[in-house]
Amino acid sequence: MPANPMDLPDEERWWYCLKHDAPEKGPGCPDKYRLGPYADEDSAVRALQTVAERNEAWDDGGEAENRDDW
């Protein structure tokens, strides 16, 4: 399992940039354009899929016990 991204130094964190539609590592675009942080590039690449899955679960009322971890 990937490390908690908040435990990583800033330069090791991955983000998904909505402006450029691409993952980026470390400092990059302003936070208003980014999703994350993520512990690895693969997680950042799947950011939009993760958001869609969480939105669907939220809309369905499922996974309420896990929402604090989002």
Side-chain angles (χ1 to χ4, degrees):
M1 175 167 217
N4 180 340
M6 297 309 291
D7 294 337
L8 298 172
D10 288 344
E11 62 273 3
E12 294 296 317
R13 295 178 186 168
W14 282 90
W15 303 85
Y16 186 81
C17 178
L18 297 167
K19 185 175 181 180
H20 297 107
D21 195 29
E24 57 187 30
K25 187 175 183 182
C29 289
D31 288 346
K32 67 181 181 179
Y33 297 118
R34 304 194 308 175
L35 299 174
Y38 297 96
D40 55 57
E41 184 177 13
D42 289 337
S43 297
V45 167
R46 291 190 311 272
L48 294 178
Q49 177 183 348
T50 300
V51 168
E53 290 169 356
R54 289 177 177 171
N55 284 343
E56 185 175 332
W58 184 277
D59 290 343
D60 292 342
E63 300 185 25
E65 67 279 359
N66 295 324
R67 289 181 187 165
D68 290 339
D69 295 338
W70 294 359

